[in-house]
Amino acid sequence: MSVIEGKKAKEILKKAEFIAVLTGSGISAESGIPTFRGNDGLWKKFSPEELSSFEGFYRNPAMVTEWYRYRRKIILGTKPNPAHLALADLERIVTEFYLITQNIDRLHQRAGSKKVIELHGNIMENYCIKCGKVFDIEEFDCVYEKFEDHVPRCECGGYIRPNVVWFGEPLPEEAFSEAYKAAVNCEVFISIGTSGAVRPAADLPRYAKYNGAYLIEINPERSYLTDIADLWVKGKAGEVLPQFVEEVKKLKGMK
Ligand SMILES: [Zn+2]
């Protein structure tokens, strides 16, 4: 049984040379990454706002720093799944490709994806809230060990925070404008494992569709996007995406 059904879908994917993809938490969940809504063990007593907002960080930087170290450790213990690998593969077979993600775990990069647009930042980097200096994991851990209170501070004296988008913060402007450009210019837009409810990321598939792209949704359940999607591939990304990419290759005469 094929996952790309219908003559039109096949024709479009055969010719498509510009594909944009949006991924959400569903694809990370398949690698075993929890949603981290603050309901795991030790962290239960804190509200998501305390753990993931600038106000929470400013009030208690030591706690928020530990929370992100804990999450980072869990994420580093996971691996890209077949869906991540299939997307890296898809990038290699078309001329223009952008992978827009709402995930902060960097699993797409670990799977080999190159053009990744991170809408919510990523958990592997930290930056100084005063001068903006970026610290990778090694640099951050080094500074972390240096301070007895385990609240890493930059040479300039500023606190160092995770490079992720917190409650109440806007998306990084450059990333969103790149994502917007990809959405309005692509021929095919594929939305994977996202509810289609959280704006402004959820607007991207709509921008794509209204600008003439063929909209494909890959999701085990219906979402807010299903009704406007041209093709809904029902299933878990890790199960259907590898086959989807194989079928695209076949349509393009690559196999
Ligand atoms: Zn600084």
Side-chain angles (χ1 to χ4, degrees):
M1 213 187 77
S2 66
V3 293
I4 302 172
E5 281 176 48
K7 206 171 152 215
K8 183 146 190 233
K10 289 188 174 118
E11 259 167 36
I12 286 170
L13 283 163
K14 182 181 174 182
K15 290 194 196 121
E17 281 303 328
F18 189 159
I19 296 181
V21 173
L22 172 69
T23 62
S25 60
I27 195 167
S28 296
E30 289 180 42
S31 276
I33 295 178
T35 49
F36 295 114
R37 296 225 168 89
N39 44 11
D40 7 4
L42 265 180
W43 302 97
K44 237 190 321 222
K45 54 182 190 283
F46 303 106
S47 72
E49 286 74 18
E50 280 177 285
L51 295 168
S52 303
S53 74
F54 188 77
E55 291 72 26
F57 174 71
Y58 210 74
R59 252 197 310 268
N60 197 342
M63 176 188 72
V64 174
T65 298
E66 286 312 320
W67 165 240
Y68 278 89
R69 277 172 56 87
Y70 161 78
R71 290 179 59 172
R72 192 154 50 234
K73 203 173 148 208
I74 291 181
I75 287 169
L76 285 170
T78 65
K79 282 201 297 251
N81 64 56
H84 293 105
L85 297 170
L87 287 172
D89 205 14
L90 184 61
E91 180 169 7
R92 293 182 202 110
I93 62 173
V94 290
T95 319
E96 268 202 272
F97 183 89
Y98 291 92
L99 207 175
I100 307 157
T101 187
Q102 296 166 274
N103 302 329
I104 59 172
D105 48 47
R106 289 245 152 137
L107 284 177
H108 286 303
Q109 287 92 335
R110 280 169 62 193
S113 286
K114 302 275 182 254
K115 281 197 196 150
V116 182
I117 302 172
E118 295 171 326
L119 289 182
H120 293 165
N122 76 80
I123 198 166
M124 302 305 164
E125 289 173 344
N126 290 267
Y127 68 90
C128 167
I129 62 170
K130 216 166 141 192
C131 74
K133 184 179 173 192
V134 176
F135 297 76
D136 65 22
I137 311 175
E138 288 79 30
E139 292 164 333
F140 179 80
D141 283 346
C142 199
V143 183
Y144 173 87
E145 294 302 336
K146 218 170 74 188
F147 288 95
E148 240 168 68
D149 60 0
H150 286 336
V151 177
R153 268 149 284 176
C154 177
E155 289 156 4
C156 79
Y159 284 144
I160 303 172
R161 63 164 281 180
N163 185 16
V164 298
V165 175
W166 279 333
F167 290 116
E169 293 182 327
L171 301 190
E173 222 170 280
E174 200 183 316
F176 192 76
S177 93
E178 251 191 295
Y180 175 80
K181 242 188 278 169
V184 298
N185 289 313
C186 68
E187 295 160 77
V188 173
F189 190 99
I190 310 173
S191 174
I192 303 166
T194 171
S195 66
V198 183
R199 298 189 59 224
D203 293 334
L204 293 168
R206 295 179 173 89
Y207 292 141
K209 168 103 182 171
Y210 302 148
N211 284 280
Y214 190 78
L215 179 60
I216 299 174
E217 178 181 28
I218 297 179
N219 237 345
E221 308 289 341
R222 290 186 74 83
S223 79
Y224 286 98
L225 286 178
T226 314
D227 284 337
I228 63 159
D230 297 294
L231 174 70
W232 174 28
V233 179
K234 190 180 173 184
K236 285 189 171 180
E239 286 161 18
V240 297
L241 253 179
Q243 194 189 336
F244 178 90
V245 174
E246 285 312 306
E247 287 179 25
V248 173
K249 282 187 190 168
K250 241 182 244 164
L251 288 167
K252 289 180 173 296
M254 290 170 170
K255 275 208 173 160

